[in-house]
Structure formats: C-alpha cells, structure tokens
Amino acid sequence: MTVPPPKAPDTLDALRERVLRAGIAVLAVGMPLTSAVMVYQAVLANQLTTRTVLLASFTLGFPLLWIAAPRLKFRTIAGVFVGMIIFSALLLASRGVLTVGYAALDILAILSATLFFGRQGAILGLIGVFAAHLTGWGIITFDVGPPPAIDMIDPRIPAVWIRHLVVLGVLGTVIAITELYVIEQLAKEIHVHRRLADLEMQQRVVPLRALR
C-alpha cells in the first residue's frame, strides 16, 4: 500500500505561523521589560501603588503564552495573543494613558487579527479595539476606576520619555517584523511564479524549434 506524500504547508499559513511566533517572542521579552522600567521609575519617585504592580504583573502573561504556544493550536494562540494586546490597550485607556504606545497597541491588534484570521479577523479586531477604547472612556468619565495616571503622560517628566522610548522600540519591532515577513513572502512568491513562467516559455519554444 502506497502512503501518500505529506501535504506541503500552505504558504499563507506558514507566514502566519512565522509572524505569530516572532510577535510572541518579542512581546514575551519587551512587555515585561517595559513593566520593569515602569515599576523601577515608580519606586524611584516613591509612587509605587498596587494598581501599578497589577498592571505590570499582567505583562507576565506574554512569557507564559510563549512557553505554552508549542502545545496549542494556531487559532487558539493567535486569538489569545490578539486578546491580550487589546486588553493591554484597555488597561492603559482605563488609566487615561492615551499615548503613542496605546495607539501602537491598537494598530498591532488590528494588523495581527487581520493577518491571522482574514476579513473576519479585521472586523473583530476593529470591534475589539473600539470596544476597549469606549470602555476605557466610560471608566474615566464615570469615575468607575482609579483616577487618571497623569504621571504616566506628563511630558515634563523625563521618565515618561524613557518609558515611551522602550514602548516604541518593542511595539515598533513587532510591527516591523510583521511587515518584513509579509514583504519577504510576497517577493518569494513572485520569484517562484516568474521561474515557473520562464520554464513554461522554454517548454513551448523547444517544440517550435524542433518543427523548424
């Protein structure tokens, strides 16, 4: 009995897997690093609170996801990954931290959801980001949660600039990797199709020469 050859992985699926693994790996290091900087600065300013510690503790979920990723299915990992990014944005919005880092999280969530789940992911990603933004707005407006963290957005505080530099470095790396992988995959596909077109052209030319 002949065993059928294993099916080659789909190009798009391989690209999605590659981007997801890289994104989780970068955030598994970058998000706790950002939180460590935030906690360190709070300690120096004698402003460390329970809310800051809880916010920093949530980022440990990214290393845990990186550890658990090999044992989980792609759609499960991707869904949790996007959900954690949106929830991180919600935590910032609920403290009134509407900064470049907050916007970068929203953009990363939408890009990731679109790449991993297609059109449906794009719609759900947009809905999730808008829902998190409106929820944060409601928390601030109705004083449901703690007061806005003015010390996290005041540009007169040098720690704010340092913290945002770290955030931009981490999130910028993930977004750049995503775009780079997509462009490289497209270039590879174009190269393959061009080679196939050249081979087909050669196969057509040879019989015509033989007839002459």
Side-chain angles (χ1 to χ4, degrees):
M1 182 177 179
T2 305
V3 179
K7 184 180 179 181
D10 182 79
T11 302
L12 181 57
D13 289 342
L15 173 63
R16 287 168 170 165
E17 287 269 2
R18 189 181 178 191
V19 171
L20 179 59
R21 303 290 180 186
I24 293 175
V26 172
L27 292 187
V29 176
M31 293 298 278
L33 175 62
T34 303
S35 295
V37 172
M38 181 176 63
V39 170
Y40 177 70
Q41 292 174 342
V43 171
L44 290 181
N46 198 24
Q47 296 177 344
L48 184 63
T49 63
T50 303
R51 292 188 295 269
T52 303
V53 174
L54 291 176
L55 181 62
S57 299
F58 172 75
T59 61
L60 296 178
F62 288 97
L64 293 177
L65 180 61
W66 178 67
I67 294 172
R71 305 175 182 84
L72 301 175
K73 294 182 178 179
F74 169 79
R75 293 183 67 86
T76 302
I77 307 170
V80 172
F81 179 69
V82 174
M84 290 179 66
I85 294 175
I86 294 177
F87 188 71
S88 298
L90 171 60
L91 291 177
L92 292 178
S94 65
R95 298 298 311 279
V97 186
L98 305 181
T99 60
V100 175
Y102 166 73
L105 281 174
D106 288 338
I107 293 173
L108 179 59
I110 296 171
L111 283 175
S112 299
T114 303
L115 177 61
F116 299 149
F117 302 107
R119 184 175 301 177
Q120 182 181 11
I123 296 173
L124 293 177
L126 284 168
I127 292 174
V129 165
F130 287 151
H133 185 79
L134 294 175
T135 301
W137 186 11
I139 290 174
I140 295 294
T141 302
F142 297 105
D143 294 326
V144 176
I150 303 300
D151 58 307
M152 295 183 66
I153 58 176
D154 190 348
R156 295 170 299 180
I157 302 176
V160 172
W161 294 91
I162 297 174
R163 185 164 54 245
H164 277 70
L165 185 64
V166 176
V167 171
L168 287 175
V170 172
L171 299 181
T173 300
V174 177
I175 294 174
I177 287 175
T178 301
E179 297 298 322
L180 181 62
Y181 282 175
V182 171
I183 292 173
E184 286 182 347
Q185 191 63 49
L186 288 175
K188 187 182 297 183
E189 289 294 312
I190 291 173
H191 180 68
V192 169
H193 286 295
R194 184 173 295 169
R195 287 186 58 190
L196 291 176
D198 291 341
L199 289 174
E200 184 178 354
M201 181 63 68
Q202 292 176 4
Q203 291 174 355
R204 290 181 179 180
V205 170
V206 170
L208 290 177
R209 289 178 177 175
L211 291 175
R212 293 177 183 176

